Structures are given as C-alpha cells and as structure tokens.
Amino acid sequence: MDSLKTALEAFPSRFPALRDFRYFEQTDSTNRQARQLGQAKTPAPCLVVAEGQSAGRGRLGRRWESPPGQGLYFSLLLQPQIPAERAPLLTLATGLAIKRALENFGVKDLVVKWPNDIVIQGKKVGGVLSEMETSGSQMLFVILGVGLNISQKKSDFPPELQETAASLEQLYPGDWHRSEVLEKILGELFQEIENLEADKVDELLKRWEGESGFLGKKIKVEKSGQQLQGMVQGLDPEGHLLLETAPGKIVTLIAEDTTLI
Ligand code: BTN
C-alpha cells in the first residue's frame, strides 16, 4: 500500500498555499472533520486525508463507500476570496482538476458529469461533495470533499453498486498510487482556485464546456417532479446546466442529479 502519510508530510513545501493538514487512518468523514476544523478557525487551506471512512458522505444524503486503503478520500478546507454565490463554481473547478490530473496517468475517456460526478466508460469512479458555511450573506469557509475509487475489485463494491461504480484500477489496470494521484489533483486544484480568485469565471465556464466531455451528451433528469430528457448545451454564467429538451426549448438545471442515457 502506498504511504499517504509520508507523502502528506512533504505537501507543505510542495504546495506553499497549503497552511495545514490532518491525516487519519480511519475517520467518520473527512468533510465532517474539515467542518469542525473550519469552525475552530483552523488556518485554511487545510487538507484532511483519511485512509478509510466509516460514514463517508455523498451528495443528496447518500453514503460514500470508503474501504480503507482502496480509495482516495480527502477534503480541502478553504476560505476562498470569492463571493459566496460563486462557491458552486468550485465544484466544477474541482471536477476539471480531477480530470486533468488523471489524464497525466493515461486516463483518456473521463467525463465530468455535471455537477460533480467523475465517470469513466459509463461507470462512476469518483465524486465531489462541496459544502459551505455562511454567516448571513458572508461565506465563512468552503469544504471541497473528493472521493475516488482507486483499487477496488468489482466484488469489493456492495452488490447494488457493482454495475454502476468502478475503480481506476478496474478500468486502467496498473500500479495506482493514491499519494501521486492526490498530489496531481491538488496541483491542478490550487491553480483552479487561483484562477477563480482572479475573477477568471468566464474562462472556467468555457474550459468546463470544452473539457468536461459532457457537452452534447443525452441525459435524463427529474426536475420539480417531472422527468426530462435532453441534450446538454452548456453552462449559464452561474454554472447551471442548460439542457435542450425539445428544439429551441432550454431548461436550466440548478443542482439536480443527472443520468447519462
Ligand atoms: C458524490 O458523488 O456524491 C460525492 C462523493 C464525495 C465523497 C468524498 S470522500 C471524502 C469526503 N468526505 C466525505 O464524507 N465525502 C467526501
């Protein structure tokens, strides 16, 4: 097993922007730990990494399977210098950072399924859970939580996930080192955050449209109790998804769960 702990010790010199980090062999959820650190006013950015999680959380109240040593589970506590309403863009930026990082390891067919899924060959390999703490209209901190399936075999997933989820090793057999993947993602992610803090929002949205692999895909989605199908057209200036459900009819999705068809 590659040593995440040793790699982490080198991160403060490797990433000057990183102010602090925490390592857990086992925790409930790195997002929950990061929230506690944020509430305790820990200097940010602070990286929280765990070998395994007993209560890993996904979007929409789902559970994130987090077997020890088989996945990458981390959360970045941030106090980004951006207006609170732009915080959702950090989720999109994180998806792109993951895609770019994994391309360094030879992954060629990754789709960032809006808003937060990492999909390869139709299987969910990872996801991003972003959370924000505010006081009135002021953003106190943001947590970017990332889960990536690295080395699970099909039988390691619960039966109900075996057809829809996969690990990087299943799809791209080889020696996957979680510490190397984490280092590449962080490098890309700090660059994305810097760009957003420098107001490069249009650039992010254009890059997401160009690089996510999601444009032109046919999807289905439930919105306000209605089943919709359509083709992905792009993003609006807030990062919401524009879906063409009939010629010329565009529906805007805010944070719904989309399914590729
Ligand atoms: C999703 O696809 O629903 C998002 C999954 C995010 C899982 C990660 S694992 C590290 C961090 N800690 C958590 O409890 N969740 C995120």
Side-chain angles (χ1 to χ4, degrees), residues 29-31 53 56-59 64 74-75 116 124 127-128 146-147:
S29 151
T30 55
N31 264 41
Q53 300 179 118
R57 291 193 278 122
R59 231 166 56 95
W64 186 258
F74 71 89
S75 302
N116 74 322
K124 179 153 170 166
V128 182
V146 173

Side-chain angles (χ1 to χ4, degrees), residues 9 31 33 53 79 89 162 171 192 217 229 259 261:
E9 278 152 15
N31 264 41
Q33 291 289 351
Q53 300 179 118
Q79 280 171 330
L89 297 178
Q162 287 183 4
L171 303 174
E192 291 288 351
K217 292 275 192 261
Q229 284 196 7
T259 306
I261 50 177

Side-chain angles (χ1 to χ4, degrees), residues 118-126 154 162-166 171:
I118 303 301
V119 175
I120 302 176
Q121 297 163 28
K123 307 275 190 192
K124 179 153 170 166
V125 169
K154 188 171 180 172
Q162 287 183 4
E163 297 310 318
T164 53
L171 303 174

